[in-house]
Amino acid sequence: MNYSQQAERLAETYADAILRLSYTYLKNTQDAQDVCQTVFVKLLTEPRSFESPAHERAYILRMAANACKDILKSPWRQRTRPLEDGFQVPAPEAEDGSVLAAVNTLPPHYRAVIYLCYYEGYTAAEIGEILGVPTATVHTRLARGRTRLKEILGGMDYEQSV
């Protein structure tokens, strides 16, 4: 049996069982599909001989279960949250003519530092760490962003208001 015939046989025989088992562990269709693909790749790159079809099935399902357990105990999985958790935190709404609407019109590099500084309360050093830029760059972007905001919002210089 050649490589593509073997892959087709494995997929037709075991894909559904692997997906169902993986989904029960991971509660996520995409992760279950990743496990299924991982199991098939391993089976095709490291061929084995089995005593019987029952032994082959048990081995393949054990591989799938172990792959799921590896995913569940990975540090990445433990430090992240599902995207749906972010839906519970509403983003600030920008009303026309508001400062936030003006901030949203700034170029992305100015918008990011202005937002992190004034809306999230981060210091320039913290913003630099978050964005991966030097603190001096953060200060420059804040100053230039404020200048642009003043132009957008129609602000006046202090000398003229006195």
Side-chain angles (χ1 to χ4, degrees):
M1 188 179 303
N2 69 24
Y3 188 78
S4 68
Q5 290 173 332
Q6 177 71 356
E8 191 173 320
R9 182 188 71 79
L10 288 170
E12 287 176 4
T13 308
Y14 300 111
D16 191 48
I18 294 170
L19 282 172
R20 282 187 279 125
L21 176 66
S22 300
Y23 186 81
T24 61
Y25 272 98
L26 303 171
K27 310 272 189 284
N28 182 306
T29 304
Q30 289 78 19
D31 289 343
Q33 290 170 341
D34 288 346
V35 166
C36 189
Q37 180 177 336
T38 301
V39 169
F40 287 144
V41 166
K42 189 176 259 187
L43 285 169
L44 292 170
T45 57
E46 302 169 10
R48 292 176 166 67
S49 58
F50 299 99
E51 299 168 6
S52 66
H55 180 245
E56 181 182 51
R57 181 178 178 81
Y59 182 82
I60 290 172
L61 292 178
R62 174 53 48 204
M63 283 178 65
N66 287 340
C68 291
K69 290 175 186 176
D70 289 344
I71 289 174
L72 289 172
K73 68 183 177 185
S74 74
W76 179 85
R77 178 91 173 201
Q78 294 172 0
R79 288 191 302 257
T80 59
R81 293 282 155 238
L83 183 60
E84 292 79 26
D85 289 354
F87 294 149
Q88 297 171 0
V89 180
E93 292 294 323
E95 301 164 8
D96 289 338
S98 71
V99 175
L100 183 57
V103 169
N104 286 335
T105 64
L106 292 173
H109 56 282
Y110 295 147
R111 182 178 357 160
V113 295
I114 294 284
Y115 182 81
L116 290 171
C117 180
Y118 292 106
Y119 287 89
E120 298 297 329
Y122 288 107
T123 65
E126 292 169 332
I127 295 170
E129 281 185 42
I130 292 169
L131 299 178
V133 297
T135 305
T137 302
V138 173
H139 286 294
T140 302
R141 290 179 183 176
L142 279 170
R144 291 179 181 168
R146 286 184 201 114
T147 302
R148 292 241 182 132
L149 276 175
K150 189 162 81 171
E151 293 168 4
I152 292 168
L153 296 171
M156 295 191 282
D157 290 327
Y158 288 110
E159 293 82 27
Q160 293 174 344
S161 64
V162 175

